[in-house]
Amino acid sequence: MTTPPPPTDLSHIVKAYDVRGVVPDQWDERTARALGAAVADVLVLEAAHPAGGADRAAPRGRRLVVGHDMRPSSPGLVDAFAAGAQDRGVDVVLVGLCSTDGLYYASGALDAPGAMFTASHNPAQYNGVKLCRAGARPVSLDTGLAAVRDHAAASLDAGGPEVVDERGSRTEQDVLRGYGEHLRSLVDLSGSRPLTVVVDAGNGMAGLTVPAVLGEAAGLPALPLDVRPLYFELDGTFPNHEANPLEPANLVDLQRAVVEQGADLGLAFDGDADRCFVVDERGDAVSPSAVTALVALREVARERVEDPGADVVVIHNLITSRVVPELVAGAGATPVRTRVGHSYIKEEMARTGAVFGGEHSAHYYFRAFWGADTGMLAAMHVLAACGEDERPLSALVADYAPYAASGEINSVVDDVPAAVERVRQAYAARGAGFDDLDGMTVTAPVGSGDEAEEAPARGPGGRAWWFNLRASNTEPLLRLNVEGVDAATTAAVRDEVLALVRADA
């Protein structure tokens, strides 16, 4: 008697917020076709007919938007995925090469669920899918991705998707110009002083989107920008450096070029161009927290013009600088603090109607962009702020970076709970404040020197600080972020916490 094979398990590639894995070792075109059918079932058909019924299998007019990045495996995977969706009677609109925020634009403008084939900053052998519901609404394991995983696994076990009598159609649509027009309608750069900006696309999708939005490649009018390109050739093998500007080594080429060319600033995008990092005229990296504060105040001011009496909300995650909620509150708006992770930001954006949200990882979310994240729009805000001010960018952003930050420091530990408890006990004995929203956030004790009650004080010589200690979801790691009123304070707290964390190493 032959033993039947075990049921297909796709949990190794279906993550908390997307699909991602090595091609073809972990997934291939057969898997992609099953995923396409599953997405059609869960995000298109069930959304159209949540109660089921006879009409569910023939949703004429229901469509799914699909785009992809420049990875060598993307075209084949997209073709198979589209076929799977068509098998279930769903019409597929292929938007071709695009950035992830370009796919969000298509989902919002066409009011259709979307699938973006990309593995973002991961190496060339990876690929993945980022999914959204109509209007660029997010999808996670809790809001549909688990169902997609289970439907796809069942399809693979059955030998492939069930094909309806009338398969869906497949059409192509170019959305690049519309994407550029929409972004330009939100930030007007036409009146800026002339700026020279170096852009490092990292051989990723910014090589397509930057010329279209900031230049004339999509047929839009010229802007007062002299864009100097670095690595604009679309190449999913990433021949120059990883398309991950969060790693300082990947900013070195941009920093050098900005200084050598006397540029006003530099921009670096990740592989799917949904994140943007900024370098000032001296070649120094600008903190994403400073960018968050700058953009937040601009969005608050814009909302005040459009609706003077509105209760304006700005979202920030808990490891952005405390200057963000301080400045937002100072502008008369309401800061709302969230856990780390884009799904939490997007959920709070939807719940509160927030005008803007920012993360330390350089993801920036805009209500005017369907609540989705777009690095290009954040970059345009920075360009506009620089173009409206005669000061260099370094002087402009100094107002948004009064504190010293450690950056994120990872420690491998054998016993994560024990390490956290050592830190908790040490600081509890001193009367520090504690917050367990996401990991453990510890703030300086109240009432000594210039220490602040909830955030670093602005006074010179103060000793205020805070830190957050978070466990990784997938590895035996603890992630530490420290901020203090000056570099010496930050360094002292950092070293003490790391000593406690690594005591059993």
Side-chain angles (χ1 to χ4, degrees):
M1 181 175 179
T2 304
T3 302
T8 299
D9 181 5
L10 296 178
S11 60
H12 61 297
I13 61 167
V14 180
K15 312 295 185 181
Y17 312 115
D18 61 14
V19 177
R20 195 169 303 192
V22 176
V23 179
D25 298 355
Q26 294 181 301
W27 71 300
D28 55 16
E29 293 176 10
R30 178 172 172 266
T31 312
R33 187 161 190 152
L35 286 168
V39 168
D41 280 343
V42 175
L43 301 189
V44 182
L45 306 186
E46 289 182 5
H49 304 283
D55 291 338
R56 183 179 174 280
R60 303 321 307 160
R62 301 306 301 179
R63 56 185 175 174
L64 174 66
V65 183
V66 183
H68 65 87
D69 69 9
M70 65 292 141
R71 291 169 185 270
S73 60
S74 288
L77 293 173
V78 165
D79 181 65
F81 181 91
Q86 292 175 268
D87 287 342
R88 302 298 298 137
V90 168
D91 298 331
V92 177
V93 180
L94 298 176
V95 298
L97 284 165
C98 65
S99 59
T100 290
D101 62 330
L103 186 280
Y104 292 151
Y105 164 77
S107 173
L110 300 177
D111 192 29
M116 174 65 187
F117 277 72
T118 180
S120 186
H121 60 276
N122 287 117
Q125 65 269 30
Y126 283 80
N127 213 325
V129 194
K130 294 182 178 181
L131 300 171
C132 62
R133 294 183 182 272
R137 289 179 293 140
V139 176
S140 66
L141 281 176
D142 296 333
T143 59
L145 192 52
V148 168
R149 178 197 63 203
D150 295 343
H151 277 238
S155 174
L156 289 168
D157 289 339
E162 180 182 352
V163 182
V164 299
D165 291 338
E166 189 176 356
R167 295 183 77 241
S169 66
R170 185 185 301 206
T171 58
E172 297 181 2
Q173 185 167 340
D174 186 353
V175 298
L176 187 59
R177 182 185 174 101
Y179 163 75
E181 288 175 332
H182 182 67
L183 293 179
R184 287 198 185 191
S185 75
L186 300 176
V187 176
D188 184 6
L189 292 169
S190 61
S192 169
R193 66 180 172 92
L195 296 173
T196 299
V197 52
V198 181
V199 179
D200 185 344
N203 298 112
M205 291 314 305
L208 176 72
T209 59
V210 169
V213 179
L214 303 183
E216 301 174 72
L220 300 178
L223 296 172
L225 301 173
D226 178 8
V227 177
R228 308 283 180 85
L230 274 180
Y231 314 136
F232 271 35
E233 304 78 15
L234 301 184
D235 189 339
T237 66
F238 307 112
N240 294 289
H241 60 69
E242 289 184 354
N244 181 16
L246 192 60
E247 291 293 333
N250 297 323
L251 286 177
V252 170
D253 290 351
L254 175 64
Q255 292 169 311
R256 182 187 303 113
V258 166
V259 174
E260 289 178 350
Q261 299 182 37
D264 294 289
L265 72 158
L267 303 173
F269 291 87
D270 65 349
D272 59 336
D274 64 345
R275 289 188 297 157
C276 181
F277 292 74
V278 181
V279 169
D280 68 22
E281 81 287 349
R282 302 179 303 189
D284 293 332
V286 177
S287 161
S289 285
V291 174
T292 294
L294 182 154
V295 178
L297 294 189
R298 289 178 57 86
E299 284 289 273
V300 169
R302 188 173 74 132
E303 183 73 2
R304 290 282 185 232
V305 170
E306 296 178 356
D307 187 355
D311 179 16
V312 185
V313 175
V314 171
I315 309 295
H316 65 99
N317 74 22
L318 57 81
I319 55 178
T320 53
S321 170
R322 295 299 169 89
V323 74
V324 174
E326 289 173 4
L327 291 177
V328 168
T334 302
V336 174
R337 181 169 171 264
T338 74
R339 294 167 59 91
V340 173
H342 77 270
S343 67
Y344 301 112
I345 293 273
K346 288 179 177 178
E347 287 169 5
E348 284 299 291
M349 291 281 291
R351 185 185 69 81
T352 63
V355 69
F356 173 71
E359 290 194 275
H360 72 293
S361 57
H363 280 286
Y364 305 106
Y365 308 78
F366 296 83
R367 187 178 66 199
F369 199 76
W370 298 278
D373 45 321
T374 164
M376 184 68 77
L377 187 52
M380 294 172 71
H381 272 289
V382 173
L383 289 167
C386 194
E388 295 164 4
D389 199 308
E390 291 301 321
R391 293 177 296 168
L393 183 60
S394 59
L396 176 62
V397 298
D399 297 337
Y400 306 105
Y403 308 131
S406 67
E408 190 157 86
I409 304 167
N410 292 325
S411 299
V412 179
V413 293
D414 293 331
D415 189 337
V416 168
V420 172
E421 187 58 27
R422 284 196 299 273
V423 176
R424 184 184 294 275
Q425 290 183 9
Y427 284 93
R430 304 175 200 175
F434 290 86
D435 174 348
D436 297 316
L437 174 63
D438 187 359
M440 178 175 69
T441 300
V442 183
T443 54
V446 175
S448 57
D450 289 327
E451 290 165 355
E453 294 185 9
E454 295 294 340
R458 288 184 178 275
R463 296 184 302 280
W465 48 263
W466 64 268
F467 67 83
N468 174 267
L469 197 60
R470 296 164 36 246
S472 166
N473 291 325
T474 58
E475 302 173 88
L477 291 177
L478 277 173
R479 308 187 191 280
L480 173 67
N481 285 269
V482 184
E483 184 175 66
V485 290
D486 52 45
T489 300
T490 298
V493 174
R494 175 200 66 203
D495 293 346
E496 183 176 54
V497 176
L498 288 177
L500 289 165
V501 167
R502 299 171 179 176
D504 62 353

